[in-house]
Amino acid sequence: MKFFIDSANIEHIKEIASWGILSGVTTNPSLVAKEGKDFKQVVQQICEIVDGSISAEVISTETESMIEEGKEISRWHKNVTVKLPTIPNGLSACRVLSNHNIKVNMTLCFSVNQALMCASAGASYVSPFVGRLDDINQNGIELIKEIAEVFHLHNVKTEILSASIRNPLHVTESAKAGAHIATIPYQVFKQMVQHPLTDKGLERFLADWNDAMLKKPSVVKV
Ligand code: E4P
């Protein structure tokens, strides 16, 4: 499973990208608004940091304006993926943009049927929202599993991008459920890399090394 970061914060994206694990970035209007910067500039800056799919979302809701906005956004950089909401006009716009070879990520997906329709409209990615389903007492990971099963059964090529990830367990469970990608917030990446036994083990290795150095410096010299 590939890792994307779900963020529009340049410093956060740079830090996680420096770990060498990122295959892409997703943004949404809320994340971009939080940064208080120019949308196009932010997206282009992100494209310079991460060499992979960079999702940028339209804010129109009418088919024609979604298509125009999508075409405009796609011209910002070759790696831009246009993000559209899973509504009827979003499906229509997805079909048109996909026919123009523009990659589309269909967002705000909450059911298998929505995911199937996104795939039929030519979407490159479909984003089921795990955390927001959990929030309303429905099982978000179960949805990932069901979509993965149905896509596999029907040989659907659209990639499942597990979104609205809230904790490290969501990431593990998304991978087990068959998601191709998980888009993960900065804080969750920080939680994922941390393990008390890693810290304890490293501390011990270095202490043993330093002890040996003190006793027989010539033996352990690097
Ligand atoms: C997906 O691309 C969205 O940006 C994101 O995952 C939404 O997550 P949230 O439910 O935590 O806002």
Side-chain angles (χ1 to χ4, degrees), residues 6-7 26-31 55 57 83 105 107-108 110 127-132 135 161-166 183-185:
D6 195 29
S7 175
T26 53
T27 66
N28 64 40
S30 310
L31 291 171
S55 283
E57 189 162 341
K83 208 171 172 192
N105 171 8
T107 191
L108 292 166
F110 293 95
S127 293
F129 274 37
V130 173
R132 291 194 197 186
D135 289 346
L161 202 169
S162 186
S164 187
I165 297 277
R166 300 276 164 78
T183 189
I184 303 166

Side-chain angles (χ1 to χ4, degrees), residues 48-128:
E48 294 310 312
I49 303 166
V50 179
D51 186 19
S53 163
I54 311 298
S55 283
E57 189 162 341
V58 304
I59 42 137
S60 321
T61 52
E62 294 303 320
T63 306
E64 279 315 312
S65 29
M66 283 170 133
I67 294 168
E68 279 323 300
E69 214 187 318
K71 283 183 179 168
E72 167 61 21
I73 289 173
S74 75
R75 283 191 283 266
W76 292 351
H77 192 279
K78 66 175 176 45
N79 287 348
V80 165
T81 295
V82 175
K83 208 171 172 192
L84 302 172
T86 307
I87 56 175
N89 289 347
L91 292 172
S92 310
C94 178
R95 168 47 60 209
V96 173
L97 294 174
S98 302
N99 286 351
H100 281 83
N101 290 321
I102 293 170
K103 287 196 167 185
V104 176
N105 171 8
M106 292 300 287
T107 191
L108 292 166
C109 169
F110 293 95
S111 75
V112 176
N113 287 340
Q114 283 183 318
L116 280 169
M117 287 190 281
C118 294
S120 291
S124 297
Y125 309 97
V126 62
S127 293

Side-chain angles (χ1 to χ4, degrees), residues 110 129-143 164 166 170:
F110 293 95
F129 274 37
V130 173
R132 291 194 197 186
L133 276 174
D134 286 2
D135 289 346
I136 58 159
N137 205 23
Q138 289 186 26
N139 193 328
I141 292 297
E142 204 47 48
L143 175 62
S164 187
R166 300 276 164 78
H170 275 160

Side-chain angles (χ1 to χ4, degrees), residues 122-204:
S124 297
Y125 309 97
V126 62
S127 293
F129 274 37
V130 173
R132 291 194 197 186
L133 276 174
D134 286 2
D135 289 346
I136 58 159
N137 205 23
Q138 289 186 26
N139 193 328
I141 292 297
E142 204 47 48
L143 175 62
I144 301 288
K145 251 184 230 165
E146 287 176 2
I147 297 173
E149 188 185 330
V150 170
F151 277 17
H152 180 71
L153 202 61
H154 297 281
N155 202 20
V156 173
K157 296 292 172 225
T158 303
E159 290 193 82
I160 303 164
L161 202 169
S162 186
S164 187
I165 297 277
R166 300 276 164 78
N167 54 56
L169 192 58
H170 275 160
V171 180
T172 309
E173 293 297 327
S174 293
K176 284 163 65 184
H180 301 92
I181 305 157
T183 189
I184 303 166
Y186 171 78
Q187 280 309 335
V188 177
F189 273 115
K190 303 284 272 191
Q191 292 173 302
M192 284 163 65
V193 74
Q194 213 278 331
H195 198 288
L197 290 181
T198 305
D199 296 342
K200 205 174 153 196
L202 179 61
E203 203 179 302
R204 179 61 176 272

